[in-house]
Amino acid sequence: MAATYFEQALQNFIVGLAAVQATWPSIPVRVMKLAQDDALPAIIVGPHEEMHENDLSGRGGAVEWKGLIRVTSKVFADVRLITEAIRNNGTSPGTGLAGYSGTMDGWSVQRVSVEKSTFDFIWYEDATDEGDFVMDTEIEVAFAEAV
């Protein structure tokens, strides 16, 4: 059965990547936010915008999805390594999200573009000198709406 919504398909795709499974087999991957008891490192899939497209005859069904994949960890190296595992699946040429086309949990994906990644450190609000490293990767996905 296909994923109910596209973010779920993307979540399942990331969890199934060989490079992610090899090093982080139980990494939590969530849509929008982590659960309170999720361990780090973790991956968050966040939708940003969705554009529904029509062809010249007015027929719809194509979607241009833009979103963010956030990797968060207490260890800087983890955010870098996990982000790269998602992007290229540990192969050259890459077989991860960057440049992917095909079926993603029942959804017909025409292309995935990995746009850019940014690093940050988010301080805890408890007046300590602790926090989490994050790497946000912006992606664009073109897929067919019908599943």
Side-chain angles (χ1 to χ4, degrees):
M1 181 176 163
T4 307
Y5 49 91
F6 180 72
E7 292 81 7
Q8 185 180 24
L10 186 56
Q11 175 184 1
N12 294 343
F13 181 85
I14 291 168
V15 168
L17 288 169
V20 172
Q21 281 295 308
T23 310
W24 304 277
S26 59
I27 191 168
V29 181
R30 303 287 185 250
V31 174
M32 294 303 290
K33 68 178 195 168
L34 294 175
Q36 190 170 6
D37 59 345
D38 281 337
L40 296 181
I43 302 167
I44 304 162
V45 175
H48 175 65
E49 75 177 10
E50 209 170 78
M51 295 183 302
H52 300 273
E53 300 172 352
N54 297 315
D55 63 17
L56 293 175
S57 66
R59 185 181 60 190
V63 177
E64 185 74 26
W65 184 95
K66 293 181 182 181
L68 188 78
I69 297 173
R70 171 172 277 186
V71 177
T72 183
S73 178
K74 300 223 175 280
V75 180
F76 174 78
D78 284 350
V79 297
R80 169 59 92 180
L81 294 171
I82 295 167
T83 299
E84 286 301 298
I86 293 167
R87 189 180 69 77
N88 65 24
N89 199 26
T91 62
S92 180
T95 58
L97 272 182
Y100 178 82
S101 66
T103 303
M104 192 180 281
D105 203 9
W107 295 74
S108 178
V109 174
Q110 284 75 44
R111 68 168 171 75
V112 177
S113 297
V114 176
E115 299 297 314
K116 74 175 184 177
S117 296
T118 55
F119 296 96
D120 201 358
F121 185 82
I122 299 176
W123 298 95
Y124 295 152
E125 295 182 8
D126 61 1
T128 66
D129 61 352
E130 296 181 19
D132 297 324
F133 293 97
V134 296
M135 187 167 185
D136 292 335
T137 301
E138 296 175 16
I139 66 169
E140 291 185 9
V141 182
F143 65 90
E145 200 166 28
V147 296

